[in-house]
Amino acid sequence: MPDLNLSALQKALSSAALEPGGAFGPVVRLPLASDLPATCQQLRSQPEPGIDVLEDYTALDLGEGFELVLHLVSSADVTRRLTVKAPVSRQTPEAPSLVACYGSAEWYEREIFDMFGIRFTGHPDLRRILLPEDWEGYPLRKDYSDDKLLKRPGN
Amino acid sequence: MAVIEKISGMVEKFPGGGILLTTAEFFVNWGRKNSLWPLTFGLSCCAIEMFCTGAPRFDWARLGNEVLRASPRQADMMIVAGTVCWKMAPRIQRLYEQLGEPRYVIAMGACAVSGGPFHFDSYGTVRGVDKLIPVDVYLPGCPPKPEALLYAILELEKKISQERLPGRSPEEQRVDA
């Protein structure tokens, strides 16, 4: 794996659990989604990892709650990668927006809102991006269903 | 005279003269089926095969399936090539209604026929474009090869050549099997 300085990173991200390895670099697990903006600012300003590109931003429905997944990479060295994960509760699906830190987060966050219904506080233009504007529900949630959807028989 | 040889059986040559005898029905259908103008319209991966069929290697212009038109008002045939999603559905209906009459539709590929791989458990897919607009020829495949699309166009031409002119009674309009 790339020459990410893990110990320096761990020191900077004191509240986070850092797991080495993984297909997209080390995994940083944040205890709360509200830690995301501060963590991203730290990662950006770090001279050593210098992780300044948000390559992908998505979410998972884990049943009891959601998990935000960020894939970050350094523009100076694309082998320097990092995955950041943060939980979001099902009852209040809210997370702070990362648009101020990564401009590319704007459409990613709209897509996550569209598919999972997670609201990003501080987002400049949080509307549906792919589905029609009058769509009801969030189709990538595991408990989603509508009149038009046909369940596979036997499942 | 080459054209007359191709459509022999439907056209009678007057002996010794430059006069042809045929029926209006045959002549109109012959004209229509040999100058279909498809709409430039693709939805997903099947459209790649469709463009390939129009390119010189397969060259559907040989069948009179002439230039792709960018406006539905200049086209009379629509190849629904790809997955139809609910967001696209009103646009497809509008494009179909804007096509010049008589208009024809080929549903190309498994998605346009029935929803295909997205038939079950999909929130966004229309299970077949025939839920929205009438379809003349169904072409299965994922995606169908260019040869298959050429066959579908030939089947559509066969269908057009059996059409009856309007103004006849329903019994007469029924196409003999």
PDB file of all heavy atoms in Angstrom, chain A residues 143-155:
ATOM      1  N   ASP A 143     -36.078  -0.796   2.957  1.00  0.00           N
ATOM      2  CA  ASP A 143     -37.511  -0.977   3.228  1.00  0.00           C
ATOM      3  C   ASP A 143     -38.370  -0.261   2.188  1.00  0.00           C
ATOM      4  O   ASP A 143     -39.565  -0.096   2.386  1.00  0.00           O
ATOM      5  CB  ASP A 143     -37.844  -0.485   4.638  1.00  0.00           C
ATOM      6  CG  ASP A 143     -37.386   0.956   4.861  1.00  0.00           C
ATOM      7  OD1 ASP A 143     -36.873   1.569   3.911  1.00  0.00           O
ATOM      8  OD2 ASP A 143     -37.540   1.460   5.992  1.00  0.00           O
ATOM      9  N   TYR A 144     -37.772   0.156   1.066  1.00  0.00           N
ATOM     10  CA  TYR A 144     -38.537   0.889   0.056  1.00  0.00           C
ATOM     11  C   TYR A 144     -39.450  -0.047  -0.717  1.00  0.00           C
ATOM     12  O   TYR A 144     -39.093  -1.185  -1.025  1.00  0.00           O
ATOM     13  CB  TYR A 144     -37.580   1.580  -0.916  1.00  0.00           C
ATOM     14  CG  TYR A 144     -38.282   2.274  -2.066  1.00  0.00           C
ATOM     15  CD1 TYR A 144     -38.767   3.565  -1.921  1.00  0.00           C
ATOM     16  CD2 TYR A 144     -38.468   1.632  -3.280  1.00  0.00           C
ATOM     17  CE1 TYR A 144     -39.412   4.205  -2.960  1.00  0.00           C
ATOM     18  CE2 TYR A 144     -39.119   2.268  -4.326  1.00  0.00           C
ATOM     19  CZ  TYR A 144     -39.585   3.553  -4.161  1.00  0.00           C
ATOM     20  OH  TYR A 144     -40.229   4.171  -5.198  1.00  0.00           O
ATOM     21  N   SER A 145     -40.653   0.437  -1.032  1.00  0.00           N
ATOM     22  CA  SER A 145     -41.474  -0.268  -2.013  1.00  0.00           C
ATOM     23  C   SER A 145     -42.490   0.727  -2.553  1.00  0.00           C
ATOM     24  O   SER A 145     -42.803   1.723  -1.900  1.00  0.00           O
ATOM     25  CB  SER A 145     -42.196  -1.461  -1.394  1.00  0.00           C
ATOM     26  OG  SER A 145     -43.253  -1.018  -0.610  1.00  0.00           O
ATOM     27  N   ASP A 146     -42.962   0.510  -3.774  1.00  0.00           N
ATOM     28  CA  ASP A 146     -44.025   1.341  -4.320  1.00  0.00           C
ATOM     29  C   ASP A 146     -44.954   0.478  -5.163  1.00  0.00           C
ATOM     30  O   ASP A 146     -44.739  -0.731  -5.313  1.00  0.00           O
ATOM     31  CB  ASP A 146     -43.460   2.537  -5.101  1.00  0.00           C
ATOM     32  CG  ASP A 146     -42.722   2.132  -6.358  1.00  0.00           C
ATOM     33  OD1 ASP A 146     -43.086   1.105  -6.954  1.00  0.00           O
ATOM     34  OD2 ASP A 146     -41.787   2.838  -6.754  1.00  0.00           O
ATOM     35  N   ASP A 147     -46.013   1.096  -5.714  1.00  0.00           N
ATOM     36  CA  ASP A 147     -47.042   0.333  -6.438  1.00  0.00           C
ATOM     37  C   ASP A 147     -46.483  -0.288  -7.713  1.00  0.00           C
ATOM     38  O   ASP A 147     -46.930  -1.345  -8.150  1.00  0.00           O
ATOM     39  CB  ASP A 147     -48.203   1.248  -6.821  1.00  0.00           C
ATOM     40  CG  ASP A 147     -48.741   2.003  -5.619  1.00  0.00           C
ATOM     41  OD1 ASP A 147     -48.502   1.517  -4.510  1.00  0.00           O
ATOM     42  OD2 ASP A 147     -49.373   3.050  -5.802  1.00  0.00           O
ATOM     43  N   LYS A 148     -45.521   0.383  -8.342  1.00  0.00           N
ATOM     44  CA  LYS A 148     -45.049  -0.060  -9.645  1.00  0.00           C
ATOM     45  C   LYS A 148     -43.990  -1.156  -9.535  1.00  0.00           C
ATOM     46  O   LYS A 148     -43.785  -1.908 -10.467  1.00  0.00           O
ATOM     47  CB  LYS A 148     -44.472   1.139 -10.414  1.00  0.00           C
ATOM     48  CG  LYS A 148     -45.566   2.088 -10.883  1.00  0.00           C
ATOM     49  CD  LYS A 148     -45.003   3.268 -11.639  1.00  0.00           C
ATOM     50  CE  LYS A 148     -44.345   4.251 -10.729  1.00  0.00           C
ATOM     51  NZ  LYS A 148     -44.184   5.581 -11.289  1.00  0.00           N
ATOM     52  N   LEU A 149     -43.341  -1.227  -8.375  1.00  0.00           N
ATOM     53  CA  LEU A 149     -42.249  -2.183  -8.212  1.00  0.00           C
ATOM     54  C   LEU A 149     -42.787  -3.607  -8.133  1.00  0.00           C
ATOM     55  O   LEU A 149     -43.774  -3.861  -7.453  1.00  0.00           O
ATOM     56  CB  LEU A 149     -41.480  -1.828  -6.943  1.00  0.00           C
ATOM     57  CG  LEU A 149     -40.130  -2.485  -6.731  1.00  0.00           C
ATOM     58  CD1 LEU A 149     -39.150  -1.444  -6.219  1.00  0.00           C
ATOM     59  CD2 LEU A 149     -40.216  -3.593  -5.730  1.00  0.00           C
ATOM     60  N   LEU A 150     -42.174  -4.506  -8.868  1.00  0.00           N
ATOM     61  CA  LEU A 150     -42.609  -5.902  -8.898  1.00  0.00           C
ATOM     62  C   LEU A 150     -41.565  -6.749  -8.183  1.00  0.00           C
ATOM     63  O   LEU A 150     -40.404  -6.763  -8.560  1.00  0.00           O
ATOM     64  CB  LEU A 150     -42.744  -6.348 -10.354  1.00  0.00           C
ATOM     65  CG  LEU A 150     -43.455  -7.669 -10.621  1.00  0.00           C
ATOM     66  CD1 LEU A 150     -44.907  -7.573 -10.239  1.00  0.00           C
ATOM     67  CD2 LEU A 150     -43.332  -8.034 -12.091  1.00  0.00           C
ATOM     68  N   LYS A 151     -42.016  -7.428  -7.110  1.00  0.00           N
ATOM     69  CA  LYS A 151     -41.073  -8.263  -6.347  1.00  0.00           C
ATOM     70  C   LYS A 151     -40.806  -9.549  -7.106  1.00  0.00           C
ATOM     71  O   LYS A 151     -41.720 -10.123  -7.707  1.00  0.00           O
ATOM     72  CB  LYS A 151     -41.668  -8.585  -4.971  1.00  0.00           C
ATOM     73  CG  LYS A 151     -41.558  -7.437  -4.000  1.00  0.00           C
ATOM     74  CD  LYS A 151     -40.194  -7.415  -3.343  1.00  0.00           C
ATOM     75  CE  LYS A 151     -39.964  -6.071  -2.641  1.00  0.00           C
ATOM     76  NZ  LYS A 151     -38.563  -5.662  -2.659  1.00  0.00           N
ATOM     77  N   ARG A 152     -39.571  -9.994  -7.057  1.00  0.00           N
ATOM     78  CA  ARG A 152     -39.236 -11.269  -7.694  1.00  0.00           C
ATOM     79  C   ARG A 152     -39.935 -12.394  -6.937  1.00  0.00           C
ATOM     80  O   ARG A 152     -39.826 -12.478  -5.709  1.00  0.00           O
ATOM     81  CB  ARG A 152     -37.732 -11.479  -7.671  1.00  0.00           C
ATOM     82  CG  ARG A 152     -37.275 -12.714  -8.425  1.00  0.00           C
ATOM     83  CD  ARG A 152     -35.785 -12.865  -8.319  1.00  0.00           C
ATOM     84  NE  ARG A 152     -35.080 -11.794  -9.028  1.00  0.00           N
ATOM     85  CZ  ARG A 152     -34.830 -11.826 -10.337  1.00  0.00           C
ATOM     86  NH1 ARG A 152     -35.193 -12.831 -11.070  1.00  0.00           N
ATOM     87  NH2 ARG A 152     -34.199 -10.824 -10.913  1.00  0.00           N
ATOM     88  N   PRO A 153     -40.673 -13.254  -7.635  1.00  0.00           N
ATOM     89  CA  PRO A 153     -41.377 -14.327  -6.928  1.00  0.00           C
ATOM     90  C   PRO A 153     -40.390 -15.240  -6.204  1.00  0.00           C
ATOM     91  O   PRO A 153     -39.339 -15.561  -6.759  1.00  0.00           O
ATOM     92  CB  PRO A 153     -42.111 -15.088  -8.028  1.00  0.00           C
ATOM     93  CG  PRO A 153     -41.897 -14.338  -9.285  1.00  0.00           C
ATOM     94  CD  PRO A 153     -40.850 -13.307  -9.072  1.00  0.00           C
ATOM     95  N   GLY A 154     -40.740 -15.625  -4.986  1.00  0.00           N
ATOM     96  CA  GLY A 154     -39.871 -16.525  -4.234  1.00  0.00           C
ATOM     97  C   GLY A 154     -38.921 -15.804  -3.328  1.00  0.00           C
ATOM     98  O   GLY A 154     -38.294 -16.421  -2.475  1.00  0.00           O
ATOM     99  N   ASN A 155     -38.784 -14.495  -3.458  1.00  0.00           N
ATOM    100  CA  ASN A 155     -37.892 -13.738  -2.582  1.00  0.00           C
ATOM    101  C   ASN A 155     -38.680 -13.095  -1.441  1.00  0.00           C
ATOM    102  O   ASN A 155     -39.596 -12.353  -1.685  1.00  0.00           O
ATOM    103  CB  ASN A 155     -37.174 -12.630  -3.355  1.00  0.00           C
ATOM    104  CG  ASN A 155     -35.915 -13.174  -3.998  1.00  0.00           C
ATOM    105  OD1 ASN A 155     -35.763 -14.376  -4.120  1.00  0.00           O
ATOM    106  ND2 ASN A 155     -35.018 -12.297  -4.424  1.00  0.00           N
TER     107      ASN A 155
END
